[in-house]
Amino acid sequence: MKLSFRYLLLIAMSVVSLIPICVLALWTSHNALDNEYRTVQDKHLLLAKNLSQALDRYSVDALSIFNRATDSVIKQHIPAEFIKLFNDIDVESVGEYDAQGNLVNVLFGPTQLQPGSLTQDEKIFELSQLSTARFTDVHIVGGVNPTLYMIRKDQQQRIWLAVMTPEFITLLQSAVKFGKKGHAAIVDRQGNILAHPNKEWQASSKNLSKVSIVQQMMAGNTGVMEFYSPAVKQDMIAAYTMVPTTGWGVMIPQPLDELYARAESEINTILGVATLSFFACLLLSWWMAGLITRPIAALTAQASALAEQQTQLTPWTKQRIEITEFAALFDRFHCMSKQVINSQAELAQRVIDKTADLAQAQAEALHLANHDQVTGLANRMSIRNTIQQRIDTKQPFSLLFIDLDGFKQINDTYGHGIGDSLLVSIGQNVSSSLERGDIFARYGGDEFVLLLQHDNLCDIVNLKAKHILELIKQPYKINGHQLNVSACIGIAQYDGIDNDTDSLIHRADVAMYQAKHAGKDQVMHAC
């Protein structure tokens, strides 16, 4: 099959321009979604902590008022100054009980709100360890609505019970609204709803203890996680924390669809710019290919005429833009035409030289397509192709997904130039310790991938991964700055189960994030 040199050059230049454009577009698109996740981790978690602090302040104040008011009871009367305070903290009724939990007197609010006994109905109130005032979990007493209480025992062994209405808690919860379905939810230590946008659930104090994120809050944890919400019947991502004084759980969930929708707009813009860039490169390549091949075509015609021993050669028509080398070559050809033998030898040599230059340019383009321009390591596309080849041949190997800790702070503090130099040093440091056949690649940003081609034993891979962590943690001195970073490593071992590269990398990536959540500077194996 014969193909015009102009079309061949156009294809080569187009491919060379398409690869970095695609890599950049994919990397930027991936970052768009990552940015949305980071927003949830930063802003939502801050909002959850602020809401937790407000509830903690409220609970501390409420318990303090309850203590002082019940200690100030004189002749079965609460001092007048505490009445307004009770209204401010949403106390509806205060009752006095004897040491056995039997109602003695109602000092504030309606009598029917107080249970006749604190120990009936399967001992709903635990009367031990009441030396300090505390909030109870939500209780249903005598068939009434679920209610929150404060309870304490004073030095005279009197038990005091305050019936609460969660108006302030509901007010705080309802103030948090964002996006279309982003909201806040508050539960007690047993997973019963204290405040929720679903008013039916709130009225019945629905128990959500089986929901995974609620279990995390009940365990006293703080963080960000994805879960399925039965309230909106959607997959959600939420920041969660707990109120130290009461053990209540606070979460700020948002549908994942909203994150994807925001990221999709940015991704569409990126893809549009990438498409326009490719077509611009295509047009420029076509013009440059013509600029290169037109003199070659004219020179070919002149050579044919000379081979046919024509005495009159058509002179070169000057162009507005000319390539210096080709113009000089054409002028020289006219001179060499007087000595045919010498001209043929010289022309052959020049063709060889130009072919070598073209081969070198193509080799350099191939190197750029498969290597990271900052670190010189194998790039994302190259390592993915290598992984897929290993999967296709069913050869066992291990994949380490490495993410640096603290790299963003170095970029923000010293600038991207220092950050790039640090990446180069890390790449050189790790590459120098690899065995023959292992491949260390930059996957993007501060993420690296290490392919151990001949190691598939867990103990050996773990030792190598820990060695890599130690290499990365070594101090680096760059431009007079001493820099320190650490990393987290997720390990996925290929044993013939994964069918494609994405599946294997995803398992290693998930293991890496588990290592980060475990405290950073960790190695974690994929399940």
Side-chain angles (χ1 to χ4, degrees):
M1 180 180 66
K2 294 184 178 180
L3 187 63
S4 168
F5 179 64
R6 181 172 187 177
Y7 287 106
L8 182 62
L9 192 60
L10 174 65
I11 292 172
M13 296 174 70
S14 299
V15 171
V16 170
S17 63
L18 180 62
I19 291 175
I21 288 175
C22 290
V23 170
L24 182 61
L26 291 174
W27 176 71
T28 310
S29 300
H30 177 73
N31 279 353
L33 189 56
D34 279 351
N35 288 337
E36 294 298 330
Y37 275 94
R38 282 193 289 269
T39 298
V40 171
Q41 293 177 346
D42 295 338
K43 295 184 178 178
H44 289 34
L45 189 56
L46 177 61
L47 186 59
K49 290 180 178 179
N50 289 340
L51 189 57
S52 171
Q53 291 174 358
L55 289 171
D56 192 60
R57 182 71 265 173
Y58 164 74
S59 60
V60 169
D61 291 343
L63 292 172
S64 177
I65 293 170
F66 181 49
N67 275 326
R68 290 180 176 273
T70 52
D71 284 341
S72 302
V73 172
I74 301 176
K75 296 181 180 181
Q76 305 299 320
H77 289 286
I78 296 177
E81 61 268 21
F82 288 103
I83 301 298
K84 183 180 184 305
L85 292 176
F86 277 151
N87 290 327
D88 290 341
I89 63 173
D90 302 328
V91 173
E92 292 187 303
S93 175
V94 176
E96 177 188 351
Y97 294 78
D98 60 23
Q100 288 71 42
N102 298 313
L103 180 62
V104 175
N105 189 26
V106 177
L107 289 79
F108 172 73
T111 302
Q112 62 270 21
L113 295 181
Q114 294 288 335
S117 171
L118 301 180
T119 59
Q120 66 182 11
D121 295 336
E122 299 181 358
K123 297 183 179 181
I124 58 172
F125 291 96
E126 178 59 51
L127 300 185
S128 62
Q129 299 179 352
L130 294 180
S131 58
T132 58
R134 60 180 176 83
F135 278 88
T136 71
D137 296 323
V138 174
H139 287 298
I140 301 177
V141 181
V144 299
N145 291 331
T147 308
L148 186 66
Y149 300 89
M150 288 189 295
I151 190 170
R152 72 175 288 248
K153 181 185 289 186
D154 61 18
Q155 296 179 351
Q156 289 77 36
Q157 299 303 307
R158 295 177 298 179
I159 298 175
W160 301 94
L161 187 71
V163 181
M164 308 290 293
T165 177
E167 291 185 7
F168 180 75
I169 301 174
T170 302
L171 180 64
L172 286 178
Q173 178 275 323
S174 61
V176 179
K177 293 180 180 179
F178 52 91
K180 294 182 179 180
K181 294 183 179 180
H183 62 275
I186 305 169
V187 299
D188 68 9
R189 292 173 297 183
Q190 302 302 320
N192 301 309
I193 288 178
L194 293 175
H196 195 279
N198 188 323
K199 298 307 176 185
E200 292 182 3
W201 286 16
Q202 180 172 324
S204 62
S205 192
K206 183 178 179 66
N207 186 276
L208 300 179
S209 60
K210 293 184 178 180
V211 179
S212 58
I213 190 171
V214 177
Q215 293 173 354
Q216 291 293 324
M217 292 189 293
M218 290 167 60
N221 297 326
T222 296
V224 177
M225 68 177 293
E226 297 179 20
F227 70 102
Y228 178 78
S229 171
V232 296
K233 294 180 173 58
Q234 282 185 296
D235 289 325
M236 309 285 280
I237 184 169
Y240 61 91
T241 187
M242 63 166 291
V243 180
T245 301
T246 61
W248 298 338
V250 177
M251 62 176 170
I252 310 295
Q254 184 179 16
L256 282 172
D257 289 347
E258 294 187 13
L259 269 66
Y260 296 148
R262 288 201 302 267
E264 184 178 3
S265 176
E266 185 176 348
I267 290 173
N268 289 338
T269 301
I270 293 169
L271 294 179
V273 172
T275 302
L276 291 175
S277 300
F278 174 68
F279 279 111
C281 289
L282 194 64
L283 292 175
L284 182 62
S285 299
W286 177 258
W287 177 76
M288 291 186 66
L291 190 65
I292 294 172
T293 56
R294 275 194 298 271
I296 295 177
L299 188 60
T300 302
Q302 292 282 350
S304 298
L306 184 61
E308 294 173 1
Q309 299 182 352
Q310 294 183 11
T311 55
Q312 298 294 328
L313 299 177
T314 304
W316 167 249
T317 303
K318 297 294 183 181
Q319 304 292 322
R320 179 176 297 178
I321 298 177
E322 293 182 340
I323 298 176
T324 304
E325 291 82 0
F326 281 114
L329 176 62
F330 208 88
D331 291 339
R332 182 76 62 179
F333 184 79
H334 271 281
C335 296
M336 290 187 300
S337 63
K338 298 177 182 180
Q339 300 175 345
V340 177
I341 298 176
N342 293 335
S343 67
Q344 289 178 344
E346 187 173 353
L347 179 60
Q349 185 60 45
R350 287 183 178 273
V351 171
I352 292 174
D353 292 341
K354 293 305 176 182
T355 303
D357 290 341
L358 182 60
Q360 182 180 359
Q362 290 176 337
E364 292 174 354
L366 182 61
H367 182 272
L368 290 175
N370 289 280
H371 290 78
D372 179 57
Q373 295 185 12
V374 175
T375 62
L377 300 173
N379 61 15
R380 182 191 189 105
M381 187 68 68
S382 175
I383 192 65
R384 286 178 63 87
N385 290 338
T386 302
I387 292 171
Q388 190 60 52
Q389 290 172 5
R390 298 287 295 184
I391 291 175
D392 292 341
T393 57
K394 302 294 183 180
Q395 299 180 27
F397 63 95
S398 295
L399 183 70
L400 279 62
F401 198 99
I402 305 169
D403 185 84
L404 300 182
D405 301 325
F407 179 75
K408 181 178 184 299
Q409 183 178 358
I410 290 175
N411 263 349
D412 294 342
T413 304
Y414 303 105
H416 289 275
I418 297 294
D420 288 346
S421 298
L422 176 60
L423 292 177
V424 172
S425 297
I426 291 173
Q428 294 172 347
N429 200 14
V430 174
S431 296
S432 64
S433 68
L434 298 181
E435 297 179 4
R436 182 179 181 85
D438 295 344
I439 301 175
F440 189 52
R442 184 185 180 194
Y443 201 68
D446 60 343
E447 294 176 340
F448 297 85
V449 169
L450 175 58
L451 179 64
L452 303 178
Q453 298 203 50
H454 304 296
D455 292 318
N456 204 36
L457 295 177
C458 290
D459 293 340
I460 295 177
V461 174
N462 282 336
L463 287 175
K464 288 194 173 184
K466 291 178 180 178
H467 178 63
I468 295 300
L469 285 183
E470 293 302 320
L471 288 175
I472 293 175
K473 286 195 298 183
Q474 292 182 5
Y476 301 89
K477 191 166 184 180
I478 299 175
N479 290 357
H481 303 290
Q482 181 152 334
L483 308 178
N484 292 277
V485 292
S486 60
C488 285
I489 298 180
I491 301 175
Q493 293 177 288
Y494 173 73
D495 52 7
I497 297 177
D498 301 276
N499 295 323
D500 55 42
T501 301
D502 288 329
S503 174
L504 184 64
I505 291 180
H506 177 70
R507 289 201 297 118
D509 191 28
V510 170
M512 181 274 293
Y513 276 106
Q514 290 175 348
K516 280 192 176 292
H517 290 311
K520 299 184 178 180
D521 194 23
Q522 299 284 334
V523 175
M524 193 71 69
H525 256 274
C527 297

